[in-house]
């Protein structure tokens, strides 16, 4: 197909170009934008009406001019060339190699938007992934094929936690292949570099594919970055049969880029200026996690987002939580008290927990123990809140026990080292030890035989 | 393939504008582009027709062809619906998968009903009989649980000229009706436009309880067959678990589960779990009475808009046969957002939070399709459609437009709260804000069907919970010391109502479902403790002695009593009364009595845990 070139840009508004007198443009089509200085950028068709085409430019539009910008329609959507050689490579936010290595000789070119997994083709995620982090393994376990985001705030150690999960969860049965796909959107060089170094150190780099859009890269490029990453992940998981862990950070910057486009299009905004279709847009990304019946591989997603003003009702965390299978919530308060990882377990949730744990998967007491720890911790926190208002003396003896339980729980169970890789047995035994602080009669969620069996007797 | 009858002039996401369609009508179905994607006309301006497309529109552009079909978006109704998994426009997802693989490709045309399968048609109508629309011509045993009643289609009436017997495909003629305008050949399959309610002979006020097996719902905020309910709550508060529980345990004949813009894995869960679970009423696997519509969040947004209509139309069709149908829509907010998205593309004037001004009317007319109705036809038959809609308010804020518009039309409100979910109190239905307008009618029936004192116990429990909220306020301000022993007991009874009655674990084999009888006995048990302990206090017993009584352990585990052992609960109630009397008499606890109760409790707990 011959590529048509147009010099008919009529308007440039923010990241959008309006091109006139175009013949045969298609919705979603890939567009090449040649800047007056000869450099070439990428865009895609957002809307086409008669001969008028609205193009979203993934580059910074600085330097574009109405008269001298050349637009070429490529006759296809945006694609990612893939082959096994993408492993170990670093790409920019639009999928071009930026590590100085050779171009990928593609065995396939895949549409980055993907297609939805047929719900009848899905296999239910139920294989427990041991992350070595007690607050996750013990209380909010991650399973293969799950999408479990980290809800964080600026300055909180979500990167360290995500890196720790990636590092420690690589333990697998021998015959299985594992890889990490990493998508950076709008984060700083330092943060991105932290991950890259981290992968280098653990030699995970050969099993990783990185897509990097930094804070000073064009903001619009970020809209494409997670799609690149997930397309690579689908290839690795469902073509090559690998278990893929996708870390996407920071989804907040991705959403802000979407908002910018929406504002430039003068769309009617939904909440807080974010477009009404943000839910659908995010779902198109998050739902690309999962397992498929009969397929060897899987895609597990850990998206990271920083909640503006630590507000979990903000549309980004809110809509994310409505789509993902739970969330790991970080707490500024725990962080201030120097508890790493600062996971607030009460509002955290793993929706796939029930299917992933128990006899034959982790341990038969896992579910009951975790419910017991949850409710005891919740009660302790309530008692402590009461004490703040009324003073210690207002608490009953029991309240006091629960209050000190919750302190110990944060110190012993939640808190652990960044390089401490706890076994499941260890995590559970810490839990049982802590329950000794409470009266037996209060332990209604674990069964007597379990207490007998797992709680160390002290005399 | 027919000739192209129009051309695309504009593509903006799921919305395509076309020109040149001959006589386009609102809500006509149109095939879009050379892949013939499905679309529906939703706006007409001069020669221009705006079409919402049920598939991804990438790659479409001006000049691409449009094909008019002249018909409205319709569903196929007949044997083969049960056990199907459809997308929002009734394409069978399992069939699509075998044809095109694990990812949904575009432009797949698949009929909703299998054309090849043979069904054993047993005639009911006799040759020569006068029949009208809705009358049953014959039956097909569609699954073990469902007898499919093949009815005279709407608009047809006359004398039965011929009626067949034997194995037929859905498109084969099974009867001939001669009417004023000649003979009509009737097949087992009908088509009906989804946006139009199916006719019936008038509605009646819902009166019978739809028993869901969920204690907080059935006892505190019950829903009637033919009623409407909404479940709003922030993410993670338990909407989907409640919807699944209703789909599993409700005493309906047919279940229609519409997964509207939610998670793919939740659909998978239903698909994997329902064949394994046994319907407590029919003894057959749950799939044998279920139709699933799965238009997940990543599937096209226009098809999501259509999915609730596809669902309700199928539900009405089974209602017409005289069945009680329960439809779950999870989540109506995603449907409303689809409306908003399309409305935005049409550049309509937005109302609140960008939703179109007609949001309220659309919601109301959807819920209005629920109801208990006299079915069409000459014979007396009633059927019902119950709708339970999840609502997903942004940030859990109930003042948002979808929740508010829904609350104006539904009669039952189960308000979920994340504060309860964080404490792992499930179902996280807040008992102070929820309500049911069917309560009065349903309570009357409890007198005959459950027990004369059930509704008294219920209102006492509600006032204890109310009192608890007030007392908690005092504790928060002054401390627990400020409470009198009687007030401490109220707090304890409330705690027992919450923990031993309201909390219900959907993942526990026994606890997942409670019959009304069991609900009644459990509530009676908890309330008996409260009232008897009150008497003991008045007679001078110490509060510690009362609330620390070992009987309470048995009360706590009573919910794990299997349905076949309910007489144990009656015995337990008697024991509680006895135990409190003994406290009053100042008698040292009858050791044997409490020991035996505690022993039984332990055994029960063990039984329950063993079932894991
Ligand atoms: N009745 C219940 N019993 C036990 N756990 C429950 C119950 N209801 C909800 N949960 C827990 O809450 C989680 C979220 O519930 P879900 O229905 O998916 O929430 P929502 O649909 O409101 O986002 C579930 O994964 C489960 O862990
Ligand atoms: Mg849900």
């Amino acid at each position: 197909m011959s590529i048509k070139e147009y010099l008919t840009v009529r308007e440039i508004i923010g990241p959008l170009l309006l091109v006139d007198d175009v013949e045969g443009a298609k919705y979603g089509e890939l567009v090449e934008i040649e800047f007056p200085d000869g450099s070439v950028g990428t865009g895609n068709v957002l809307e086409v009406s008669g001969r008028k085409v609205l193009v979203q430019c993934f580059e910074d539009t600085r330097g574009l001019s109405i008269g001298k910008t050349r637009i070429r329609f490529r006759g296809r959507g945006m694609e990612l060339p893939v082959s096994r050689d993408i492993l170990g490579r670093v790409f920019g936010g639009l999928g071009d190699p930026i590590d100085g290595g050779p171009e990928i000789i593609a065995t396939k070119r895949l549409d980055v938007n993907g297609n939805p997994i047929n719900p009848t083709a899905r296999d239910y995620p139920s294989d427990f992934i041991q992350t070595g982090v007690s607050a996750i393994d013990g209380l909010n376990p991650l399973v293969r094929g799950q999408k479990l985001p980290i809800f964080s705030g600026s300055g909180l150690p979500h990167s360290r936690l995500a890196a720790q999960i990636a590092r420690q969860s690589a333990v697998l049965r021998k015959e299985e292949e594992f890889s990490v796909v990493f998508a950076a959107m709008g984060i700083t060089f330092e943060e991105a570099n932290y991950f890259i170094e981290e992968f280098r150190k653990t030699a995970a780099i050969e099993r990783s594919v990185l897509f990097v859009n930094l804070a000073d890269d064009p903001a619009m490029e970020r809209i494409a970055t997670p799609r690149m990453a997930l397309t690579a992940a689908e290839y690795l998981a469902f073509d090559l049969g690998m278990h893929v862990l996708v870390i996407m950070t920071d989804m907040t910057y991705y959403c802000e880029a979407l908002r910018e486009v929406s504002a430039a299009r003068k769309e009617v905004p939904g909440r807080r200026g974010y477009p009404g279709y943000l839910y659908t847009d995010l779902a198109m990304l998050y739902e690309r996690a999962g397992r498929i019946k009969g397929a060897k591989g899987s895609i597990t997603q850990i998206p990271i987002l920083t909640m503006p003003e630590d507000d979990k009702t903000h549309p980004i965390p809110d809509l994310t939580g409505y789509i993902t299978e739970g969330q790991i919530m970080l707490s500024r308060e725990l962080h201030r008290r120097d508890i790493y990882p600062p996971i607030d377990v009460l509002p955290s949730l793993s929706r796939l927990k029930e299917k992933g744990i128990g006899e034959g998967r982790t341990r038969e007491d896992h579910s009951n123990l975790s419910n017991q720890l949850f409710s005891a911790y919740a009660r302790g926190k309530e008692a402590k809140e009461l004490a703040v208002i009324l003073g210690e003396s207002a608490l009953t003896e029991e309240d006091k026990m629960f209050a000190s339980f919750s302190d110990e729980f944060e110190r012993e169970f939640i808190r652990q080292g960044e390089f401490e890789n706890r076994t499941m047995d260890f995590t559970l035994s810490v839990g049982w030890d802590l329950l000794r602080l409470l009266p037996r009669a209060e332990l209604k969620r674990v069964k007597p035989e379990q207490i007998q069996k797992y709680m160390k007797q002290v005399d | 393939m027919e000739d192209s009858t129009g051309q695309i002039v504009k593509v903006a996401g799921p919305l395509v504008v076309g020109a040149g369609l001959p006589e386009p009508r609102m809500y006509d179905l149109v095939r879009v582009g050379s892949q013939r994607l499905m679309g529906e006309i939703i706006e007409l301006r001069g020669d221009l027709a705006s079409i919402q497309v049920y598939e991804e529109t990438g790659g479409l552009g001006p000049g691409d062809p449009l094909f008019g079909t002249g018909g409205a978006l319709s569903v196929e109704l007949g044997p083969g619906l049960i056990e199907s998994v459809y997308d929002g426009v009734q394409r069978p997802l399992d069939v699509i998968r075998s044809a095109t693989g694990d990812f949904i490709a575009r432009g797949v045309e698949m009929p909703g009903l299998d054309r090849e399968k043979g069904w054993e048609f047993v005639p009911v109508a006799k040759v020569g009989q006068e029949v009208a629309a809705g009358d049953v011509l014959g039956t097909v045993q569609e699954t073990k649980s469902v007898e499919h009643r093949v009815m005279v289609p709407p608009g047809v009436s006359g004398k039965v000229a011929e009626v067949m017997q034997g194995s037929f495909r859905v498109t084969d003629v099974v009867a001939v009706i001669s009417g004023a305008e000649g003979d009509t050949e009737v097949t087992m399959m009908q088509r009906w436009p989804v946006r139009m309610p199916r006719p019936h002979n008038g509605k009646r006020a819902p009166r019978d309880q739809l028993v869901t097996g969920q204690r907080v719902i059935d006892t505190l905020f019950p829903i009637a067959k033919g009623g409407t309910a909404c479940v709003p709550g922030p993410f993670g508060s338990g909407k989907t678990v409640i919807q699944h529980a209703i789909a599993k345990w409700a005493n309906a004949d047919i279940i229609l589960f519409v997964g509207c813009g939610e998670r793919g894995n939740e659909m998978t869960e239903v698909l994997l779990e329902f064949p394994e679970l046994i319907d407590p009423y029919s003894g057959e696997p749950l799939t044998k009475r279920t139709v699933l519509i799965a238009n997940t969040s990543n599937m096209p947004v226009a098809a999501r808009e259509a999915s609730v209509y596809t669902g309700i139309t199928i539900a009405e069709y089974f209602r017409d046969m005289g069945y009680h149908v329960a439809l779950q829509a999870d989540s109506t907010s995603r449907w409303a957002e689809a409306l908003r998205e399309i409305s935005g593309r049409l550049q309509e004037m937005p109302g609140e939070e960008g939703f179109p001004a007609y949001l309220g009317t659309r919601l109301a007319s959807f819920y209005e399709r629920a109801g208990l109705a006299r079915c069409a036809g000459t014979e007396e038959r009633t059927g019902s459609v119950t709708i339970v809609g999840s609502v997903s308010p942004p940030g859990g804020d109930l003042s948002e437009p979808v929740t508010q518009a829904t609350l104006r039309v539904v009669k039952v409100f189960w308000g979920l709260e994340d504060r309860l979910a964080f404490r792992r109190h499930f179902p996280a239905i807040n008992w102070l804000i929820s309500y049911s307008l069917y309560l009065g009618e349903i309570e009357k029936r409890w007198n005959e069907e459950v027990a004369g004192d059930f509704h008294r116990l219920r209102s006492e429990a509600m006032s204890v919970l109310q009192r608890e909220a007030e007392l908690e306020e005092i504790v928060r301000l002054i401390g627990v010391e400020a409470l009198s022993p009687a007030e401490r007991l109220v707090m304890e009874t409330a705690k027992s109502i919450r923990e031993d009655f309201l909390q219900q674990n959907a993942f526990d084999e026994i606890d997942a479902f409670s019959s009304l009888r069991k609900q009644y006995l459990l509530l009676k048990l908890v309330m008996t403790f409260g009232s008897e302990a009150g008497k003991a206090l008045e007679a001078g017993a110490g509060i510690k002695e009362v609330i620390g009584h070992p009987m309470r352990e048995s009360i706590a585990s009573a919910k794990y009593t299997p349905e076949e052992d309910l007489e144990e609960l009656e015995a337990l109630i008697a024991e509680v009364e006895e135990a409190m009397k003994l406290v009053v008499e100042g008698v040292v606890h009858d050791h044997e009595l409490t020991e035996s109760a505690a022993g039984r409790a332990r055994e029960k707990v063990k039984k329950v845990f063993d079932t894991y």
Side-chain angles (χ1 to χ4, degrees):
Chain A
M1 183 174 162
S2 69
I3 290 165
K4 288 166 270 180
E5 189 177 273
Y6 295 91
L7 269 157
T8 46
V9 173
R10 293 284 178 258
E11 287 176 24
I12 305 174
I13 302 162
L16 304 179
L17 313 183
L18 186 71
V19 195
D20 205 355
D21 293 327
V22 178
E23 192 100 29
K26 305 292 183 195
Y27 175 68
E29 189 172 349
L30 183 70
V31 177
E32 248 173 46
I33 302 163
E34 192 181 317
F35 283 58
D37 67 2
S39 63
V40 176
T42 312
N44 72 346
V45 174
L46 276 191
E47 189 173 311
V48 41
S49 180
R51 298 169 70 83
K52 285 192 175 54
V53 179
L54 189 66
V55 172
Q56 149 178 284
C57 177
F58 291 127
E59 320 292 319
D60 196 332
T61 47
R62 194 177 328 142
L64 280 186
S65 74
I66 292 211
K68 294 218 173 89
T69 303
R70 291 169 190 274
I71 303 288
R72 290 185 286 272
F73 293 87
R74 302 303 311 262
R76 57 175 173 85
M78 205 170 209
E79 291 173 336
L80 180 74
V82 291
S83 80
R84 194 173 245 285
D85 299 336
I86 58 174
L87 287 166
R89 300 292 306 272
V90 185
F91 300 91
L94 291 174
D96 305 312
I98 53 168
D99 53 2
E103 289 289 320
I104 297 297
I105 299 167
T107 49
K108 260 186 173 183
R109 303 180 67 86
L110 298 172
D111 179 349
V112 298
N113 290 310
N115 274 326
I117 302 179
N118 188 319
T120 62
R122 282 186 186 269
D123 206 355
Y124 202 78
S126 57
D127 291 339
F128 172 73
I129 301 177
Q130 183 173 311
T131 66
V133 178
S134 290
I136 296 175
D137 293 352
L139 300 176
N140 298 292
L142 175 68
V143 298
R144 258 188 206 155
Q146 184 170 17
K147 37 194 181 294
L148 188 64
I150 299 177
F151 285 11
S152 186
S154 46
L156 296 182
H158 43 263
S159 296
R160 281 157 61 200
L161 178 60
Q164 183 174 13
I165 295 171
R167 186 168 62 232
Q168 296 180 172
S169 61
V171 197
L172 285 163
R173 282 167 245 157
K174 274 219 177 55
E175 71 276 17
E176 290 175 334
E177 276 197 287
F178 178 79
S179 65
V180 177
V181 172
F182 177 75
M185 292 155 282
I187 63 175
T188 59
F189 169 77
E190 257 167 84
E191 270 176 285
N193 199 47
Y194 168 79
F195 278 100
I196 297 173
E197 282 308 310
E198 201 37 60
F199 295 148
R200 283 236 165 80
K201 262 189 277 177
T202 56
I205 194 91
E206 295 105 76
R207 292 183 281 107
S208 307
V209 190
L210 289 77
F211 294 87
V212 182
N213 163 281
L214 296 180
D216 57 357
D217 287 331
M220 288 309 116
E221 193 179 287
R222 273 161 223 169
I223 294 178
T225 308
R227 293 181 166 78
M228 298 287 157
L230 289 164
T231 303
E234 277 170 356
Y235 171 73
L236 297 173
F238 303 125
D239 279 33
L240 302 188
M242 305 177 103
H243 292 292
V244 187
L245 179 69
V246 184
I247 298 175
M248 303 192 284
T249 179
D250 181 329
M251 291 306 294
T252 302
Y253 297 124
Y254 168 82
C255 295
E256 285 173 356
L258 274 189
R259 178 171 66 176
E260 202 177 320
V261 175
S262 175
R265 291 181 78 177
K266 301 199 173 53
E267 290 173 332
V268 179
R271 280 204 317 148
R272 302 210 201 173
Y274 288 89
Y277 48 80
L278 183 59
Y279 174 84
T280 305
D281 189 280
L282 286 173
M284 303 284 238
L285 303 178
Y286 296 144
E287 280 288 327
R288 289 173 82 171
R291 289 173 60 197
I292 289 180
K293 284 181 197 154
K296 226 168 92 194
S298 63
I299 298 179
T300 308
Q301 281 185 18
I302 302 191
I304 297 173
L305 57 88
T306 44
M307 297 180 282
E309 288 144 35
D310 290 354
D311 175 11
K312 89 173 164 91
T313 67
H314 184 281
I316 300 171
D318 188 53
L319 294 177
T320 296
Y322 270 120
I323 304 163
T324 53
E325 282 134 355
Q327 65 279 340
I328 300 294
M329 185 83 79
L330 300 192
S331 142
R332 197 167 294 281
E333 200 242 339
L334 288 175
H335 181 61
R336 251 187 234 124
R337 287 175 22 222
D338 208 22
I339 289 177
Y340 173 91
I343 297 176
D344 187 354
V345 295
L346 295 181
S348 296
L349 170 72
S350 167
R351 291 166 189 266
L352 304 181
K353 158 179 156 189
E354 295 297 330
K355 302 270 178 1
I357 62 173
E359 181 98 70
R361 298 192 182 278
T362 54
R363 216 170 74 181
E364 62 69 42
D365 56 323
H366 191 165
S367 178
N368 289 342
L369 175 64
S370 75
N371 286 335
Q372 184 66 69
L373 291 171
F374 263 124
S375 64
Y377 181 56
R379 176 141 177 223
K381 294 272 276 193
E382 269 170 35
K384 288 184 68 176
E385 272 166 34
L386 200 62
V388 170
I389 309 169
L390 296 171
E392 282 274 335
S393 58
L395 301 183
T396 62
E397 275 315 302
E398 268 170 21
D399 285 343
K400 283 180 197 151
M401 283 187 202
F402 277 98
S404 71
F405 167 85
S406 72
D407 287 337
E408 282 302 307
F409 177 79
E410 286 168 2
R411 265 196 296 273
E412 301 298 324
F413 192 90
I414 308 249
R415 179 178 12 212
Q416 71 179 79
E418 192 177 339
F419 291 90
E420 184 185 354
N421 189 357
R422 293 186 177 175
T423 63
M424 196 67 237
D425 277 334
F426 184 80
T427 290
L428 296 176
S429 74
V430 174
W432 281 108
D433 281 351
L434 288 166
L435 290 183
R436 292 216 317 260
L437 297 170
L438 300 172
R440 279 288 174 90
E442 291 291 336
L443 306 182
K444 283 191 192 168
R445 303 204 186 211
V446 284
K447 48 178 170 171
E449 301 90 278
Q450 292 173 330
I451 298 184
Q452 204 67 38
K453 183 161 174 199
Y454 297 109
M455 199 185 279
K456 269 186 234 128
Q457 308 300 322
V458 272
D459 20 41
Chain B
M1 198 192 276
E2 72 234 83
D3 282 328
S4 147
T5 51
Q7 274 198 344
I8 293 179
V9 297
K10 175 179 173 180
V11 186
L15 189 81
V16 162
V17 179
L21 285 166
E23 292 181 54
R25 289 176 307 180
M26 283 297 276
Y27 299 113
D28 267 2
L29 198 68
V30 177
R31 296 283 175 179
V32 179
S34 49
Q35 278 183 298
R36 298 174 58 82
L37 309 182
M38 260 171 109
E40 187 185 20
I41 298 178
I42 53 169
E43 190 179 85
L44 290 169
R45 283 172 200 251
D47 184 43
L48 297 180
S50 296
I51 301 161
Q52 61 173 349
V53 184
Y54 298 126
E55 299 182 62
E56 282 309 318
T57 51
L60 291 178
D64 285 345
L66 292 174
F67 308 89
T69 67
L73 174 68
S74 302
V75 285
E76 297 184 349
L77 303 167
L81 289 168
I82 305 287
E83 290 187 270
S84 289
V85 192
Y86 293 122
D87 76 353
V89 289
Q90 212 204 5
R91 282 180 302 195
L93 286 168
D94 43 348
V95 183
I96 290 185
R97 180 180 177 224
S98 17
T100 66
D102 296 332
F103 292 84
I104 302 176
R106 293 192 307 170
V108 191
E109 267 183 80
M110 289 280 175
L113 295 180
D114 188 333
R115 291 293 188 274
E116 297 311 315
K117 187 162 178 173
W119 298 96
E120 202 56 38
F121 178 82
V122 180
V124 171
K126 305 268 180 306
V127 172
Q129 187 182 331
E130 280 292 338
V131 288
D135 284 345
V136 178
L137 290 170
T139 62
V140 166
Q141 198 66 44
E142 185 172 353
T143 66
K144 275 211 169 125
S145 326
V146 179
E147 178 193 78
H148 196 107
R149 297 172 187 152
V150 178
M151 298 169 288
V152 178
V156 177
S157 65
K159 247 192 188 66
V160 178
E162 231 182 306
V163 60
M164 323 287 180
Q165 171 154 24
S167 179
F168 297 97
R169 293 168 303 185
V170 289
T171 47
D172 293 334
V173 175
V174 291
V176 178
I177 315 272
S178 17
E181 276 138 55
D183 286 0
T184 311
E185 295 187 329
V186 178
T187 65
M188 285 191 274
M189 181 175 86
Q190 306 183 3
R191 266 181 234 274
W192 190 261
V194 297
R195 295 187 193 277
M196 196 194 286
R198 284 177 61 87
H200 52 71
N201 285 343
K203 282 199 180 166
R204 295 186 160 166
R207 53 205 158 96
D208 291 329
Q209 183 165 9
L210 183 82
V211 180
T212 65
Q214 311 306 300
R215 296 186 288 268
V216 56
I217 292 178
D218 293 348
T219 300
L220 295 194
F221 312 108
I223 178 159
K225 285 178 176 168
T228 49
C230 72
V231 207
F235 61 85
S237 58
K239 297 179 292 297
T240 303
V241 172
I242 286 179
Q243 293 278 29
H244 282 193
I246 294 174
K248 287 173 190 167
W249 310 121
N251 62 345
D253 303 311
I254 308 286
I255 295 293
L256 242 131
F257 195 97
V258 185
C260 175
E262 293 279 315
R263 301 180 183 88
N265 279 329
E266 291 173 350
M267 297 295 111
T268 311
E269 192 179 351
V270 173
L271 289 170
L272 296 179
E273 208 172 35
F274 277 35
E276 306 295 320
L277 290 172
I278 299 299
D279 173 3
Y281 307 97
S282 71
E284 293 297 324
L286 285 172
T287 17
K288 303 281 175 205
R289 62 162 194 182
T290 307
V291 184
L292 186 65
I293 293 174
N295 209 99
T296 55
S297 55
N298 55 338
M299 284 161 72
V301 71
R304 188 199 300 170
E305 195 274 330
S307 66
V308 299
Y309 294 104
T310 298
I312 192 83
T313 308
I314 299 175
E316 285 174 339
Y317 173 67
F318 282 104
R319 170 205 67 198
D320 293 345
M321 296 180 203
Y323 287 125
H324 296 289
V325 186
L327 179 141
Q328 287 84 45
D330 188 14
S331 159
T332 59
S333 295
R334 305 303 166 216
W335 168 69
E337 284 162 7
L339 268 189
R340 171 168 71 184
E341 184 168 344
I342 308 284
S343 161
R345 308 272 186 197
L346 287 172
Q347 290 171 343
E348 291 174 335
M349 187 65 138
E352 251 181 295
E353 291 194 17
F355 285 104
Y358 47 78
L359 172 70
T361 19
R362 288 283 168 91
L363 269 167
S365 48
F366 168 65
Y367 280 104
E368 197 50 31
R369 289 175 75 171
L372 175 70
R374 286 179 57 212
C375 303
T378 46
E379 52 190 37
E380 258 318 304
R381 211 165 55 211
T382 55
S384 68
V385 175
T386 310
I387 299 181
V388 180
S390 310
V391 184
S392 317
D397 171 13
L398 298 187
S399 68
E400 59 91 35
V402 183
T403 314
Q404 285 305 312
T406 306
L407 284 175
R408 276 198 291 277
V409 291
V410 300
K411 301 285 191 293
V412 180
F413 164 56
W414 300 317
L416 296 178
E417 217 178 56
D418 53 2
R419 195 179 51 91
L420 291 171
F422 293 165
R423 288 183 356 211
R424 291 340 189 231
H425 172 109
F426 290 119
I429 295 179
N430 179 331
W431 50 89
L432 296 175
I433 61 169
S434 302
Y435 59 80
S436 163
L437 301 183
Y438 301 113
L439 181 65
E441 200 55 46
I442 287 171
E443 270 181 341
K444 279 188 221 150
R445 273 148 207 282
W446 287 349
N447 285 335
E448 303 122 51
E449 285 159 24
V450 192
D453 56 346
F454 195 11
H455 90 259
R456 177 180 58 80
L457 288 170
R458 180 205 174 271
S459 43
E460 282 173 12
M462 283 305 282
S463 41
V464 169
L465 291 169
Q466 196 76 49
R467 277 288 284 153
E468 180 193 37
E470 294 157 18
L471 293 173
E472 262 174 355
E473 204 52 42
I474 298 179
V475 172
R476 211 165 299 140
L477 293 172
I478 322 180
V480 73
E481 252 59 283
L483 301 185
S484 69
E487 288 167 335
R488 283 287 296 279
L489 179 63
V490 169
M491 297 284 280
E492 284 296 320
T493 310
K495 183 171 172 222
S496 179
I497 296 172
R498 285 189 282 109
E499 295 181 357
D500 307 331
F501 182 77
L502 296 181
Q503 280 184 21
Q504 189 169 358
N505 185 351
F507 304 109
D508 179 274
E509 207 171 315
I510 294 175
D511 202 25
F513 168 82
S514 284
S515 63
L516 277 185
R517 174 101 200 129
K518 179 171 171 184
Q519 300 190 23
Y520 159 71
L521 289 170
L522 278 178
L523 187 62
K524 181 158 177 161
L525 174 66
V526 168
M527 297 309 288
T528 302
F529 170 78
S531 57
E532 295 300 311
K535 288 183 201 156
L537 280 187
E538 272 170 33
I543 180 74
K544 286 244 160 71
E545 191 183 357
V546 170
I547 65 179
H549 198 282
M551 271 315 287
R552 299 199 66 201
E553 216 178 298
S554 332
I555 297 176
S557 56
K559 58 169 119 165
Y560 299 115
T561 309
E563 289 290 336
E564 37 311 343
D565 302 333
L566 292 186
E567 68 285 357
E568 283 180 18
L569 291 180
E570 292 173 44
L572 197 56
I573 292 167
E575 279 173 40
V576 167
E577 284 172 348
E578 195 57 30
M580 286 301 125
K581 286 213 181 78
L582 290 173
V583 172
V584 176
E585 286 163 22
V587 180
V588 188
H589 296 153
D590 182 330
H591 220 67
E592 245 173 22
L593 187 71
T594 42
E595 265 309 294
S596 78
R600 246 206 333 277
R602 269 194 294 278
E603 212 165 283
K604 213 170 290 158
V605 171
K606 190 169 171 306
K607 225 190 280 174
V608 168
F609 284 122
D610 288 347
T611 58
Y612 276 112

